[in-house]
Amino acid sequence: MALYLVTGGAGFIGSALVRELLRRGEQVRVVDNFLTGKPENLSEVLHRIEFQEVDLSDLERLRPALAGVDYVLHQAALPSVPRSVTDPVTSNQMNIDATLNLLVAARDAGVKRVVYAASSSAYGDTPTLPKLESMPSNPISPYAITKLVGEMYAKVFTQTYGLETVSLRYFNIFGPRQDPTSPYSGVLSLFITSLLQGKQPTIFGDGEQSRDFTFIDNAVQANLLACKAPQVVGKVLNVATGERQTLNKTFATLRRIIGADVEPIYAAPRPGDILHSQADITQARQHLGYEPTVLFEEGLEKTVAWYRANMKALFDGHR
Ligand code: UD1
């Protein structure tokens, strides 16, 4: 049994990792500052994990959380492209400064490996699809810069200090527990919960932009493989499905699944937005043995079912 530290373990992706690690009989420690994470995401498993409310900006308070840890799954971050456009300084602190502290603490504690949650936003708006890890990065938002710098730090910590790191470039992860209550929430959580409430969601731009929407189980699988795969140290790997969906088509599919008769509202495109995003996942297949197990439409169905069952709890106190 190994000890895993999940940073941001009260968040959408972090808490999914925690549940899967526990299912596999591993030991789990979580740090979270509850800035975007929610205690409810861990309530069923709190008695089975060690929890520390720590902000990664405080290196000295963070250090003890790394004691005895074998693997770190570093999910803590302030997500959202538009949030970073509004407030780049906070995104920089929560993503770059926090990641640097985490890497220093992990290095000094002698952890075996750090798996870093990187982002497809690093590719920017370059026209070539699908995106290969060997393509140059070209961030077009502060958020994308912060996530790319985290990757660079991870790689440099491997080269300079011998700390094993792997960066997983997530492509628009979605699924149960993604928080739909903020204007900065992921688009699918907003579409689904609006449709379930009979409200009109907003589509920024003409809706023909596309994303490689990736169901959460696939990201969990990639993280757990990345902890132990022998040939991935210092690498950056795409985590995605290898397909892409436009927002218009996705909206139509959701309307059908939910049975809602609602039209979207079209609004001006969002600054910092990328038009198209789709991954080549050959590297993850080869080096991790990764294979997406839940594809887009099945993922949507599972996600809709979860929001249906949890709408009341999610929106009590909101809106
Ligand atoms: C970006 C990253 C993603 C990362 C996420 C973190 C890319 C390609 N993806 O996601 O890997 O996990 O940041 O925050 O850079 N939209 C609407 N209506 C809404 C909300 C959004 O039309 O109410 C549109 C956006 O304008 C965008 C698309 O939906 O075109 C996806 O937006 P969002 O879910 O916020 O994710 P990205 O910014 O693509």
Side-chain angles (χ1 to χ4, degrees):
M1 197 162 52
L3 175 58
Y4 289 75
L5 173 68
V6 184
T7 71
F12 153 55
I13 301 177
S15 66
L17 287 164
V18 170
R19 284 188 300 278
E20 179 58 17
L21 286 166
L22 291 173
R23 200 189 63 77
R24 295 183 185 201
E26 304 290 0
Q27 260 182 286
V28 181
R29 184 179 294 159
V30 165
V31 293
D32 204 295
N33 62 1
F34 293 130
L35 195 70
T36 58
K38 304 234 177 311
E40 305 86 90
N41 285 336
L42 292 175
S43 46
E44 306 146 32
V45 294
L46 209 49
H47 58 291
R48 297 173 62 197
I49 63 174
E50 274 179 68
F51 181 84
Q52 298 184 16
E53 190 170 342
V54 174
D55 191 301
L56 269 59
S57 64
D58 187 341
L59 177 58
E60 294 318 313
R61 280 201 59 214
L62 175 60
R63 285 186 187 279
L66 275 293
V69 166
D70 294 293
Y71 304 103
V72 177
L73 302 174
H74 177 37
Q75 311 302 305
L78 195 59
S80 174
V81 168
R83 178 176 2 223
S84 77
V85 171
T86 306
D87 180 4
V89 172
T90 306
S91 291
N92 198 89
Q93 284 163 354
M94 298 304 219
N95 297 350
I96 298 181
D97 298 350
T99 296
L100 178 57
N101 283 343
L102 186 269
L103 289 168
V104 167
R107 176 199 66 187
D108 294 350
V111 309
K112 290 190 179 128
R113 194 173 286 183
V114 175
V115 181
Y116 167 68
S119 168
S120 60
S121 57
Y123 291 107
D125 220 0
T126 49
T128 323
L129 293 173
K131 304 295 186 198
L132 282 162
E133 294 85 343
S134 55
M135 289 175 178
S137 42
N138 181 32
I140 61 165
S141 67
Y143 174 78
I145 294 179
T146 68
K147 282 279 147 184
L148 179 61
V149 172
E151 272 180 24
M152 295 163 101
Y153 264 126
K155 202 177 259 184
V156 164
F157 268 63
T158 298
Q159 289 160 353
T160 310
Y161 306 112
L163 173 67
E164 292 195 0
T165 67
V166 190
S167 293
L168 301 181
R169 278 190 183 166
Y170 294 163
F171 280 67
N172 293 70
I173 311 299
F174 74 98
R177 293 177 195 270
Q178 189 166 29
D179 178 10
T181 62
S182 150
Y184 299 129
S185 297
V187 67
L188 295 184
S189 72
L190 294 171
F191 278 10
I192 294 170
T193 53
S194 290
L195 287 174
L196 286 172
Q197 293 170 310
K199 293 185 182 163
Q200 291 180 280
T202 303
I203 293 184
F204 297 119
D206 65 3
E208 285 306 298
Q209 68 267 48
S210 59
R211 293 292 183 272
D212 191 337
F213 289 114
T214 304
F215 189 65
I216 179 72
D217 289 15
N218 303 317
V220 169
Q221 180 204 150
N223 271 275
L224 300 189
L225 290 167
C227 289
K228 299 197 181 154
Q231 282 168 356
V232 296
V233 174
K235 280 197 171 21
V236 172
L237 300 167
N238 291 339
V239 172
T241 66
E243 291 171 7
R244 70 189 165 97
Q245 325 289 334
T246 67
L247 286 191
N248 285 332
K249 186 157 170 265
T250 300
F251 180 78
T253 307
L254 282 173
R255 240 168 57 142
R256 176 175 52 73
I257 294 174
I258 292 170
D261 189 16
V262 170
E263 294 299 327
I265 298 165
Y266 286 89
R270 232 171 45 174
D273 228 23
I274 281 167
L275 211 47
H276 300 296
S277 176
Q278 180 182 9
D280 182 307
I281 55 172
T282 311
Q283 292 288 313
R285 281 195 167 113
Q286 271 176 6
H287 296 294
L288 294 179
Y290 163 81
E291 194 57 50
T293 51
V294 180
L295 296 183
F296 179 60
E297 210 164 312
E298 187 189 349
L300 280 187
E301 277 167 12
K302 285 176 188 268
T303 307
V304 167
W306 187 86
Y307 283 116
R308 253 194 223 286
N310 290 279
M311 280 300 275
K312 194 171 153 4
L314 280 169
F315 285 92
D316 272 0
H318 289 279
R319 289 184 188 177

